[in-house]
Amino acid sequence: MIITPNILHIDSREPETIFAIAKMQQIDYVKVFLDVGDFAYNNIIIERKEIQDFVQSITSKRLYEQVEQMKANYENVYVLVSGSINDLYNRDSQNIVFGAIASLSIKHDIK
């Protein structure tokens, strides 16, 4: 996909509230199907995950596949995790999250 410069590209599968916020903030955006990531802007790609989905994508190894695809196509890759670590049911899940964040940051150079 070709990213139009200086326009925020929002994946069409994102919740409608995301588009409402972009409109309210008067952000120039287009609603598109992104192969990877949820938001793209120039050479930046952002994958947004709810904390429960973040844990599931770690255990299924889907997260690391997504990260590698994003790194292959964008210069700056970010993973945005929303929610609270306290939303996780047990300490093991919390440790999985902390370990994955460290791995993404150190091993994969992801912000």
Side-chain angles (χ1 to χ4, degrees):
M1 156 171 265
I2 297 174
I3 301 298
T4 307
N6 304 320
I7 300 288
L8 178 63
H9 293 66
I10 303 175
D11 187 79
S12 56
R13 296 166 287 193
E14 284 297 298
E16 285 303 316
T17 53
I18 297 292
F19 300 101
I21 291 168
K23 280 183 187 175
M24 189 178 356
Q25 295 298 316
Q26 300 178 345
I27 296 171
D28 291 332
Y29 75 92
V30 292
K31 185 176 186 178
V32 296
F33 178 85
L34 293 173
D35 294 331
V36 294
D38 296 312
F39 307 97
Y41 184 82
N42 296 339
N43 64 352
I44 300 168
I45 188 77
I46 301 169
E47 174 68 27
R48 184 186 68 83
K49 298 249 184 232
E50 297 288 334
I51 196 151
Q52 294 292 348
D53 184 37
F54 186 66
V55 171
Q56 290 172 351
S57 66
I58 294 164
T59 56
S60 72
K61 299 189 182 358
R62 187 178 81 238
L63 177 65
Y64 299 103
E65 293 167 6
Q66 290 174 314
V67 163
E68 290 306 315
Q69 289 177 335
M70 290 188 296
K71 283 177 64 175
N73 294 293
Y74 294 89
E75 188 175 325
N76 297 293
V77 178
Y78 295 85
V79 176
L80 173 66
V81 181
S82 60
S84 169
I85 196 73
N86 296 325
D87 292 341
L88 298 175
Y89 303 119
N90 59 52
R91 190 75 170 143
D92 289 339
S93 293
Q94 292 177 356
N95 289 338
I96 288 170
V97 169
F98 293 135
I101 290 170
S103 173
L104 289 173
S105 177
I106 296 166
K107 190 175 179 182
H108 298 278
D109 193 32
I110 304 298
K111 293 124 187 120

